[in-house]
Amino acid sequence: MYNNVGPQPGMPIPSGNPKPNPFGNAFYGPGSGLIRSGLGAYGEKILGSSSEYVQSNISGLLSDRQYYFQVNDQYVRNKLKLVLFPFLHRGHWTRISEPVGGRLSYKPPIYDINAPDLYIPLMAFGTYVVLAGLSLGLNGKFSPEALNWVFAKGLVGWMLQAMMMKVMLLLLGSGEAPILDIVAYAGYTYTGLCIAVAGRIIWGYSYYGLLPWTCLCSGIFLVKTMKRVLFAEVRSYDSSRHHYLLLVLALAQFPLLIWLGNISVNWLF
């Protein structure tokens, strides 16, 4: 019925050879194979390099984490003695290096008492939170909200200690120390703090003798560590500036540990 209907009057008759669109056949014309192959190779190169980059960074991060947990019982005992009684340490304070893959690397904690680890700081922080909760319970102030406050307060204190050490390194022109090294060294503060809080639970008056001792030992340990380990690769050495910053670090342990040792349900008291 409709097959015999011709073109209507006044309507243009379509041409048998339409004018080619110079842009419409960029991906479908004769040169489309070359363009698609080029874009495919370029995309594969980008995605491949990105995948390798992500995999290398993830593997490096995981290997770093494994490094900080390579400890044993003997290392833990010796490290606790070093942190709690740093003035009794008669050995050196520098880390032991070894050639690995054509470059120098540091031995893991299990082989080097001066190497930083995250096992002791994390255990000490967890013990601090538990002792703080026990102290709150004995005083009739325990609640989940109060324990959350103590946990958050402890994390803020750890962060402040690490930030202070990082700023000191930047002021000396050396910000190249691994962030996990700084976090580990800053976390050793909680080992002595646990003893002070435990003494407060057992006998309240012992806290006022244990806390100054903890502050002093923490300051000595961090000064020795910063001076022999983290300051070892600074670009320029200024004796007076180094000593001034180390003194500030040691003195800062007193207000920080007093603040952390005061177990309460608020930030300041």
Side-chain angles (χ1 to χ4, degrees):
M1 175 177 180
Y2 298 99
N3 291 336
N4 296 327
V5 177
Q8 300 297 324
M11 295 182 61
I13 301 176
S15 175
N17 296 320
K19 186 178 181 180
N21 187 347
F23 301 102
N25 62 350
F27 294 97
Y28 301 98
S32 61
L34 179 62
I35 296 177
R36 288 198 300 268
S37 61
L39 290 177
Y42 185 69
E44 183 179 357
K45 181 179 180 181
I46 294 178
L47 294 177
S49 60
S50 300
S51 176
E52 294 176 359
Y53 175 80
V54 172
Q55 291 178 2
S56 62
N57 280 272
I58 291 177
S59 60
L61 182 60
L62 293 177
S63 64
D64 288 343
R65 291 179 180 177
Q66 294 173 0
Y67 171 89
Y68 293 97
F69 289 95
Q70 296 184 34
V71 300
N72 56 12
D73 294 341
Q74 182 179 2
Y75 168 82
V76 172
R77 289 193 300 267
N78 293 333
K79 193 70 171 187
L80 289 176
K81 293 178 183 177
L82 181 64
V83 174
L84 298 176
F85 305 98
F87 49 85
L88 297 179
H89 183 58
R90 294 292 179 261
H92 60 84
W93 288 83
T94 56
R95 296 173 65 178
I96 302 175
S97 59
E98 59 180 354
V100 176
R103 63 176 183 176
L104 289 179
S105 180
Y106 292 113
K107 288 190 174 182
I110 192 173
Y111 301 116
D112 184 8
I113 188 62
N114 295 315
D117 73 280
L118 286 173
Y119 175 80
I120 293 178
L122 289 175
M123 293 298 103
F125 180 79
T127 304
Y128 162 75
V129 175
V130 172
L131 291 174
L134 179 60
S135 178
L136 290 172
L138 294 175
N139 293 324
K141 300 179 180 179
F142 179 82
S143 66
E145 293 77 13
L147 194 61
N148 290 337
W149 275 107
V150 172
F151 181 82
K153 186 177 180 180
L155 285 181
V156 170
W158 196 342
M159 187 184 305
L160 289 175
Q161 184 88 286
M163 289 177 59
M164 181 169 54
M165 297 173 67
K166 182 65 175 180
V167 169
M168 290 178 63
L169 291 174
L170 293 175
L171 290 176
L172 293 172
S174 175
E176 300 175 358
I179 187 62
L180 290 182
D181 281 12
I182 299 176
V183 170
Y185 286 125
Y188 288 123
T189 302
Y190 290 92
T191 56
L193 187 60
C194 288
I195 296 179
V197 175
R200 187 174 191 173
I201 294 174
I202 297 173
W203 185 44
Y205 292 102
S206 65
Y207 174 79
Y208 300 100
L210 290 173
L211 187 64
W213 173 269
T214 298
C215 297
L216 180 62
C217 292
S218 178
I220 294 175
F221 172 78
L222 289 178
V223 166
K224 291 288 188 180
T225 299
M226 293 287 287
K227 186 176 182 180
R228 301 299 183 187
V229 179
L230 297 181
F231 284 1
E233 298 181 357
V234 295
R235 299 187 182 93
S236 61
Y237 184 82
D238 184 352
S239 178
S240 60
R241 192 176 186 183
H242 277 63
H243 293 163
Y244 175 76
L245 292 176
L246 290 174
L247 179 61
V248 171
L249 178 64
L251 294 177
Q253 302 308 303
F254 287 86
L256 179 63
L257 293 184
I258 290 174
W259 177 62
L260 291 174
N262 193 0
I263 307 301
S264 61
V265 294
N266 52 53
W267 288 101
L268 297 179
F269 302 102

